[in-house]
Amino acid sequence: MMNYFDRDIEEQLVSLLKSNLNTSFTLFQFAELSGRDLLDLFETVIHAIDENQPEKIGTEKIEATVERTSEFLRVLKYEFPVEPEEWDVRLARVDKDLIHPAMLFLLRDFEEMKRRAYLARYTEEVPIPEEIRVDPTVAELITQHRELREQFEQIHTEYEELGDTNVEELKATIADLEADKAKLATRVAAFKRKTQNVKNIDELLKWTSKLRQENEREMKLQEQLQRLSDEKRLLLHRQQVATDRIKNTRTHMEQRLNNLRTELESLKNQGAGSASGDDKSLVFCQQQVIASNKRLDQKMQQLEQLQKTRSDAEQQLAQRQRDNAIEVPSQSQFVIYVRNLKTKNETYKGYQAELAVHRKELVVMKRTEEIVKQQAENVHQEILKIERQRGISGFREARAQLEQVSGKKADLDDSKATTLEEMSQIVKEIQRNIQLRQDELRPYVAKLQEQRKLKAEVESKYLQAKQRYQNAISEYEGAAMELEEEAKKLRQDIATYQSKFHNVSQMTMGLERSLKRVNEEKKATETANPVSNDIKTYTDYFQKAQRSLKKQTKTLKEQKKTLGDQTDTNQKQLEAFQTLRQFLQIKAKCQKDSQIKKEKEMEKDEHERNKPEEIIDFRVADD
């Protein structure tokens, strides 16, 4: 059975050595290890856990190796299977039954052993003899060491907690937040663009602000309403308590009143029965009756006041209930409310106690922090002093700056490498897209070249036909211009002859009127008959007209003399305006003719482009 367990341990050790240390032992080779080889392998495992431990034994004495190995296992909280003396002896003899379980303990939880070894380097107490601990300086250093050790444990715990955080998830979360931020910025920009042309945007924003203020005000009013509801329930509770107290007081007063009445009746009976008694007892009884009556009157007044107060309170309660301004809780609800108040009060007291404890701890922690900072400052000053003594002042700051610069440079190099890689990927993608696009466009390019050849042939035919058409048009226009010149000359001749004809006609008509007037004048002179009702003879008529014209001429000369050179200036200005008007009319007419001619030419060109075959056919027909 023992051999079976040894075999199982060896198989586990071979597997763990291969997975943790990348060794290539077979089960047979590992079983054959003994003596110094097995001890060297054990030291290799210890060195893999703690690099401060030697990897091989070398020239170290076996006693020192045993002591160092035993101390290392003790620090890692290894449970020794035998007593320390026996352990040292058997380890010095390289006992497999002792070394194999220890190696299995170290390799089974390899990462945990590394963590323990790392922590033990800073948290393990230094063994100091008692006679040295008594020294005040040493005691102070031990206290500082203990505080620093606690601080290290706390910081390491925080580091491990941070180490469990998934950085990729944080990066993804940050990326999502950045994307949300970009989306919000896009939405804000889109909203600004939409509202850029909106009229009365300031008024809209003003009303939006008022709406938000009203919403906040509504929330505040709801909070006030909730607070008033709580106060209302409290007032109802107080009212209920006051009502119960009034009822109890009334009952008590009625009992007192009944007792006093009973006492009064008994006193009256005693007075009637002992009428023959002495005067002192009678006077005493009368005084008691008077005092009782006074007390009765006072109690009755108090009772009336309490009843009046109760009736007023009941009326107010009824009025508020009718107005739905108050809600009277039931007895069970009030009991639950009181129970909740007690529970909350107890919870509050518990929280107050915990807060007091935490405050005390906070004071202690702040004081501890101040002490640690002071000690760190002292250590820093000592380090600076040593650096100055050894001529390396500022080494720590320079080293920190160098590490910071190195870190930034590494980050920059990483970002550059990432950027270059992304750029190379983008260039490859662009080249691949270009190649694909070229492959897609190659057949279309071939078709385009064929179409260009056809276009060149058709265009040459079109240009030839257009040249023939233009030649024909030029010949036609030349002939038309010659005919137009001849027609123009003929029109001018016709106009000249018509003008002469009209002049001769007018002269003939004037001579006829003059001859008629002479005949009428001759007849009127011979017969003394007037020519008409207004004109006696033309001689008298013309003499009167001549005299009238002379008067008008004289008046006009006087006006001309008055006006002077103003008439000449106005005449020149009038002539200038008339000339300008004629010039503008001619210019407008020329522009209109030019526009009409241009439109006709454009129509001709359009017709040529749309139907070149007609021009070709026309030219062929002419040929």
Side-chain angles (χ1 to χ4, degrees):
M1 182 67 69
M2 189 66 182
N3 292 331
Y4 174 76
F5 284 118
D6 292 343
R7 193 75 172 176
D8 187 23
I9 290 175
E10 289 176 356
E11 290 178 356
Q12 293 182 25
L13 286 173
V14 170
S15 177
L16 292 172
L17 286 170
K18 185 176 181 180
S19 60
N20 294 325
L21 301 181
N22 294 324
T23 58
S24 58
F25 284 111
T26 62
L27 185 60
F28 177 76
Q29 290 174 349
F30 183 77
E32 292 296 324
L33 289 176
S34 62
R36 191 176 182 86
D37 295 335
L38 182 59
L39 199 58
D40 284 339
L41 180 60
F42 191 33
E43 291 296 327
T44 303
V45 173
I46 293 174
H47 174 74
I49 294 173
D50 187 2
E51 294 180 354
N52 293 327
Q53 299 291 333
E55 187 175 2
K56 301 292 182 182
I57 297 175
T59 59
E60 187 180 20
K61 293 183 179 181
I62 190 65
E63 292 81 5
T65 303
V66 170
E67 183 179 358
R68 178 175 50 77
T69 305
S70 301
E71 180 64 20
F72 181 76
L73 292 173
R74 184 191 64 78
V75 169
L76 296 183
K77 297 180 175 57
Y78 176 65
E79 296 181 0
F80 294 96
V82 295
E83 295 296 328
E85 293 80 6
E86 185 180 355
W87 168 269
D88 294 340
V89 173
R90 293 176 64 180
L91 184 61
R93 295 176 183 174
V94 194
D95 190 351
K96 291 183 179 181
D97 296 335
L98 207 66
I99 294 175
H100 285 178
M103 290 178 65
L104 185 62
F105 169 76
L106 296 175
L107 293 171
R108 183 174 292 167
D109 199 353
F110 193 68
E111 297 298 329
E112 178 64 21
M113 293 299 111
K114 282 186 176 181
R115 192 182 72 83
R116 287 185 185 180
Y118 174 75
L119 292 176
R121 191 186 309 169
Y122 302 101
T123 59
E124 191 67 21
E125 291 188 2
V126 180
I128 300 174
E130 291 295 333
E131 59 271 13
I132 299 177
R133 285 176 176 270
V134 179
D135 187 79
T137 305
V138 176
E140 185 178 357
L141 291 174
I142 291 171
T143 305
Q144 293 179 4
H145 179 263
R146 187 181 298 110
E147 292 175 353
L148 292 173
R149 188 171 66 240
E150 293 175 355
Q151 185 179 1
F152 170 77
E153 291 177 354
Q154 182 180 359
I155 293 173
H156 188 268
T157 304
E158 294 177 357
Y159 171 75
E160 288 183 344
E161 291 177 355
L162 291 175
D164 295 336
T165 306
N166 193 347
V167 179
E168 297 298 330
E169 291 181 358
L170 292 177
K171 289 183 178 179
T173 304
I174 293 171
D176 294 338
L177 292 175
E178 292 292 337
D180 293 340
K181 181 180 178 182
K183 289 180 181 178
L184 289 175
T186 305
R187 290 180 180 177
V188 170
F191 178 75
K192 287 182 178 179
R193 288 195 300 271
K194 289 180 180 179
T195 58
Q196 187 175 6
N197 298 324
V198 176
K199 296 181 179 179
N200 301 327
I201 185 65
D202 296 333
E203 186 176 358
L204 179 62
L205 294 175
K206 179 181 177 182
W207 285 108
T208 306
S209 177
K210 287 185 178 180
L211 178 61
R212 185 176 64 255
Q213 292 176 0
E214 290 297 328
N215 290 331
E216 293 176 355
R217 183 181 177 186
E218 183 180 0
M219 293 176 65
K220 291 181 180 179
L221 290 175
Q222 289 179 356
E223 292 177 356
Q224 292 179 1
L225 181 61
Q226 183 66 29
R227 188 168 61 254
L228 290 174
S229 299
D230 296 337
E231 292 178 357
K232 181 179 69 175
R233 285 194 292 270
L234 182 60
L235 289 174
L236 287 174
H237 170 63
R238 291 179 180 176
Q239 184 180 6
Q240 185 68 26
V241 173
T243 304
D244 295 339
R245 189 176 297 171
I246 290 170
K247 289 181 179 179
N248 295 331
T249 305
R250 181 179 179 182
T251 304
H252 178 68
M253 296 300 294
E254 288 177 352
Q255 290 177 358
R256 289 285 303 277
L257 179 61
N258 293 328
N259 293 331
L260 290 173
R261 286 176 178 174
T262 304
E263 185 178 357
L264 179 61
E265 292 294 332
S266 63
L267 290 173
K268 287 181 179 180
N269 293 329
Q270 289 178 4
S274 59
S276 60
D278 54 357
D279 295 335
K280 290 183 179 180
S281 60
L282 181 60
V283 172
F284 178 73
C285 291
Q286 289 177 354
Q287 289 177 354
Q288 286 184 347
V289 170
I290 293 170
S292 299
N293 290 328
K294 287 182 179 180
R295 288 197 298 271
L296 179 61
D297 293 336
Q298 291 176 359
K299 296 300 180 181
M300 290 296 291
Q301 291 176 0
Q302 292 178 1
L303 180 61
E304 289 177 357
Q305 291 178 356
L306 291 174
Q307 288 178 350
K308 184 177 180 181
T309 304
R310 179 186 175 184
S311 62
D312 294 338
E314 289 177 350
Q315 289 177 1
Q316 292 179 1
L317 178 61
Q319 182 65 29
R320 291 187 179 182
Q321 288 179 349
R322 285 195 298 272
D323 296 339
N324 294 325
I326 194 167
E327 181 181 357
V328 180
S330 62
Q331 188 68 23
S332 59
Q333 292 177 351
F334 179 71
V335 171
I336 294 171
Y337 176 72
V338 173
R339 189 183 300 116
N340 291 333
L341 283 179
K342 289 181 180 179
T343 305
K344 290 180 180 179
N345 190 16
E346 292 175 358
T347 306
Y348 172 74
K349 289 180 180 179
Y351 287 155
Q352 286 288 340
E354 291 181 3
L355 182 61
V357 173
H358 289 312
R359 284 176 178 172
K360 291 180 181 179
E361 291 180 356
L362 180 62
V363 172
V364 175
M365 293 298 291
K366 285 185 177 180
R367 179 58 182 164
T368 305
E369 183 182 4
E370 292 176 358
I371 294 171
V372 171
K373 286 182 179 179
Q374 185 64 33
Q375 292 174 357
E377 183 65 25
N378 295 334
V379 172
H380 182 65
Q381 294 297 330
E382 289 292 332
I383 292 172
L384 292 177
K385 184 177 179 181
I386 294 170
E387 288 178 353
R388 286 194 296 269
Q389 290 176 358
R390 298 188 179 183
I392 56 172
S393 179
F395 172 74
R396 290 169 60 85
E397 289 78 3
R399 182 179 178 182
Q401 292 178 1
L402 183 61
E403 290 177 354
Q404 186 177 3
V405 171
S406 300
K408 290 182 179 179
K409 183 178 180 299
D411 295 337
L412 185 60
D413 293 338
D414 293 338
S415 62
K416 285 182 179 179
T418 305
T419 305
L420 290 174
E421 186 176 357
E422 291 177 355
M423 290 175 64
S424 62
Q425 293 293 333
I426 292 170
V427 170
K428 290 179 181 178
E429 184 68 23
I430 292 172
Q431 291 177 351
R432 185 165 57 255
N433 292 332
I434 291 172
Q435 187 64 33
L436 293 174
R437 192 62 178 170
Q438 287 178 352
D439 295 338
E440 291 177 358
L441 294 176
R442 191 171 287 113
Y444 296 103
V445 171
K447 292 181 180 179
L448 180 62
Q449 291 176 354
E450 294 177 358
Q451 293 295 327
R452 283 179 177 174
K453 291 179 181 179
L454 294 174
K455 175 182 175 294
E457 295 176 358
V458 173
E459 189 174 6
S460 63
K461 292 180 181 180
Y462 166 73
L463 292 174
Q464 293 175 2
K466 185 177 180 181
Q467 185 65 34
R468 291 195 296 270
Y469 171 75
Q470 288 179 353
N471 294 332
I473 290 297
S474 61
E475 292 177 358
Y476 169 75
E477 288 179 352
M481 288 178 66
E482 291 177 358
L483 293 174
E484 188 175 356
E485 289 291 334
E486 292 179 0
K488 187 176 181 181
K489 290 179 180 179
L490 293 174
R491 290 193 193 97
Q492 290 177 355
D493 294 340
I494 291 170
T496 303
Y497 291 135
Q498 286 180 352
S499 177
K500 290 180 180 180
F501 171 74
H502 288 302
N503 290 330
V504 171
S505 298
Q506 291 294 328
M507 290 174 66
T508 303
M509 291 174 65
L511 291 173
E512 289 178 354
R513 285 195 300 274
S514 298
L515 181 61
K516 182 179 179 181
R517 194 178 298 164
V518 168
N519 292 328
E520 290 177 352
E521 178 70 17
K522 182 179 179 182
K523 185 179 180 180
T525 304
E526 291 176 353
T527 60
N529 293 325
V531 177
S532 63
N533 295 327
D534 296 330
I535 301 172
K536 185 177 181 180
T537 60
Y538 286 108
T539 303
D540 296 335
Y541 175 74
F542 285 123
Q543 288 177 356
K544 290 179 181 179
Q546 185 178 6
R547 287 193 296 270
S548 177
L549 288 173
K550 285 181 179 180
K551 290 180 180 179
Q552 290 179 0
T553 302
K554 186 177 181 180
T555 304
L556 290 173
K557 285 181 179 180
E558 291 177 356
Q559 290 179 357
K560 181 179 179 182
K561 187 177 180 180
T562 304
L563 294 174
D565 297 334
Q566 186 176 2
T567 304
D568 296 334
T569 304
N570 293 334
Q571 185 67 26
K572 290 179 181 179
Q573 188 175 5
L574 178 61
E575 292 176 356
F577 276 114
Q578 289 177 353
T579 305
L580 178 62
R581 182 180 179 184
Q582 292 176 0
F583 175 74
L584 292 175
Q585 289 176 353
I586 293 169
K587 185 177 180 181
K589 184 178 179 181
C590 292
Q591 288 181 352
K592 187 175 180 181
D593 295 339
S594 176
Q595 184 69 23
I596 293 170
K597 187 175 181 181
K598 188 182 292 184
E599 290 177 356
K600 289 181 179 180
E601 290 178 355
M602 290 176 66
E603 289 178 357
K604 288 180 181 179
D605 293 338
E606 185 69 22
H607 184 72
E608 290 174 4
R609 285 195 296 270
N610 292 333
K611 296 182 179 180
E613 63 276 3
E614 294 181 0
I615 301 171
I616 296 170
D617 296 340
F618 175 75
R619 186 61 181 174
V620 170
D622 291 341
D623 292 339

